[in-house]
Amino acid sequence: MRISDILRVKGDQVVTVPPATSVERLLEVLAQHRIGAVVVSEDGRSVEGIVSERDIVRALAARGAAVLTEPVSTIQTTQVRTVSPDAHLEDVERLMTERRFRHVPVLTDDRLAGVVSIGDVVKFRIDELETERSTLADYITGERT
Ligand code: AMP
């Protein structure tokens, strides 16, 4: 199973914000889209950083509410791990588990082609297990040969 199989179902939309966006505005974007992270990008296609709710929590704990008026570039992670659509789902699961992040941008020719979250991976796995289970059940009850 490859990352492109997930993107085919969920689509290639990626929510991005320019680096100068305030942390306060970032909170609105996360809430509005019901997501936990956005890619930081000036043009909406290249990846300059990633910023998740965890970065906001850490910055608030370290520096207090003053962080809300700072640009997201002050709290983003710049060493972003990305994958290609050809990457195997198992490898991306391992990457997320070992590096302890829940989001991985997908790039084609250095351009954003989607984003995969741990929620997408879990949903995909559950769907896969359900298909397997019902195929086996049909086979056992003789509804399929
Ligand atoms: P998350 O679990 O995705 O909310 O992120 C946890 C931490 O890892 C935060 O500091 C993020 O900025 C960072 N992070 C999230 N995704 C990535 C990624 N693909 N590459 C590098 N760092 C990331």
Side-chain angles (χ1 to χ4, degrees), residues 2 7 12 14 21 26-27 33-34 39-40 68 82 84-85 87 91 98 103 118 130 136 140 143:
R2 292 177 192 263
L7 294 184
D12 59 3
V14 185
T21 308
L26 170 66
L27 286 171
H33 293 274
R34 298 168 179 265
V39 170
V40 181
L68 295 174
T82 62
S84 85
D91 294 334
E98 284 171 1
H103 303 86
I118 194 84
E130 178 51 32
L136 282 172
I140 291 163
E143 286 176 31

Side-chain angles (χ1 to χ4, degrees), residues 77-134:
T77 300
T78 51
Q79 300 284 310
V80 183
R81 280 301 308 260
T82 62
V83 294
S84 85
D86 291 338
H88 289 278
L89 184 55
E90 292 77 13
D91 294 334
V92 177
E93 284 171 348
R94 198 170 307 116
L95 177 71
M96 286 176 155
T97 307
E98 284 171 1
R99 305 293 294 269
R100 292 174 186 270
F101 42 62
R102 297 165 293 176
H103 303 86
V104 180
V106 185
L107 296 190
T108 302
D109 297 330
D110 287 337
R111 294 284 180 223
L112 273 169
V115 67
V116 173
S117 76
I118 194 84
D120 299 324
V121 173
V122 170
K123 181 184 180 312
F124 199 82
R125 282 289 185 217
I126 290 172
D127 291 350
E128 201 175 50
L129 285 172
E130 178 51 32
T131 306
E132 225 171 81
R133 191 205 61 79
S134 69

Side-chain angles (χ1 to χ4, degrees), residues 30-94:
L30 293 175
Q32 186 187 341
H33 293 274
R34 298 168 179 265
I35 54 177
V38 299
V39 170
V40 181
S41 171
E42 193 63 67
D43 61 6
R45 289 180 298 166
S46 57
V47 177
E48 281 142 58
I50 190 162
V51 63
S52 91
E53 50 205 4
R54 286 203 180 156
D55 298 309
I56 303 173
V57 169
R58 281 189 206 124
L60 278 171
R63 311 207 289 277
V67 88
L68 295 174
T69 54
E70 291 180 14
V72 297
S73 55
T74 62
I75 66 166
Q76 70 183 359
T77 300
T78 51
Q79 300 284 310
V80 183
R81 280 301 308 260
T82 62
V83 294
S84 85
D86 291 338
H88 289 278
L89 184 55
E90 292 77 13
D91 294 334
V92 177
E93 284 171 348
R94 198 170 307 116

